[in-house]
Amino acid sequence: MVLRKNYYFCSQIARITRDFDIIMGDFIRHRGKIERIEKHKALVRIEQSSACSGCHASAACLSVDKKDKIVEIDSGIDGFAPDEEVIVGVRSSAGFFAVLIAFVLPLTLVVATFFASVEASGSDGIGGIAGLAVLVPYYIVLYFFRDRLKNRIIFTLEKIQDT
């Protein structure tokens, strides 16, 4: 009985590492499918899944998180064709940078602005409105720097090696 459970556990771990985000060395790799190729870019659909989405009880669970994402890849697309299964890679440092600008900095701005506004005005309502309002200029600045960010976060394509 214990041997069967260990085999099941090991097979689930192997499936998770094969099907979901894999961090290998300095790269985060994810399986995807090329949707279309335009002049100098490829649009690749990747399925972003939480680790629990591979669980056999996922149909009964409400925490399953599965989303399709389209990634635009601007370089290294020669030799690839539409509908081809590929590996999309990005440097781990770029992934951490993306998390920083998408989640950590906005949350820090909201919390800091909320507490500063509550301290200055004495009203939680004004603090909440100011905390949310600070996100407007933040995302406007991100929009204007989108080309620089695109050069900092570079995705790569790799062919899938059949073993």
Side-chain angles (χ1 to χ4, degrees):
M1 185 69 166
V2 172
L3 184 59
R4 183 181 299 162
K5 286 183 180 180
N6 285 341
Y7 174 76
Y8 177 75
F9 177 74
C10 290
S11 66
Q12 289 293 64
I13 295 297
R15 196 166 122 231
I16 288 170
T17 57
R18 183 181 65 240
D19 293 341
F20 303 112
D21 288 344
I22 303 168
I23 299 177
M24 297 182 117
D26 194 30
F27 277 88
I28 300 170
R29 292 181 169 91
H30 201 88
R31 294 177 78 95
K33 183 177 183 181
I34 297 177
E35 289 291 309
R36 67 179 187 268
I37 295 179
E38 296 176 356
K39 288 183 181 180
H40 301 289
K41 65 182 175 182
L43 299 175
V44 180
R45 178 179 303 275
I46 60 173
E47 186 179 281
Q48 179 183 359
S49 305
S50 65
C52 61
S53 67
C55 176
H56 66 282
S58 64
C61 184
L62 297 175
S63 67
V64 176
D65 181 25
K66 242 181 174 179
K67 299 175 191 166
D68 283 348
K69 302 284 185 194
I70 301 289
V71 178
E72 186 177 302
I73 300 173
D74 294 330
S75 61
I77 62 170
D78 295 333
F80 292 96
D83 294 328
E84 184 177 358
E85 295 281 332
V86 294
I87 300 289
V88 177
V90 67
R91 289 201 171 276
S92 297
S93 59
F96 294 131
F97 176 71
V99 168
L100 179 73
I101 63 172
F103 300 110
V104 176
L105 289 178
L107 178 65
T108 304
L109 282 172
V110 168
V111 171
T113 304
F114 171 77
F115 284 117
S117 297
V118 168
E119 185 67 32
S121 69
S123 170
D124 289 345
I126 291 175
I129 291 170
L132 293 176
V134 76
L135 292 177
V136 173
Y138 177 76
Y139 285 113
I140 289 172
V141 168
L142 279 184
Y143 178 79
F144 285 120
F145 285 99
R146 69 186 180 276
D147 292 330
R148 277 192 175 176
L149 293 173
K150 190 185 269 190
N151 291 334
R152 176 93 188 256
I153 302 171
I154 300 171
F155 291 96
T156 60
L157 282 181
E158 300 174 28
K159 295 211 180 262
I160 294 179
Q161 304 291 329
D162 292 327
T163 55

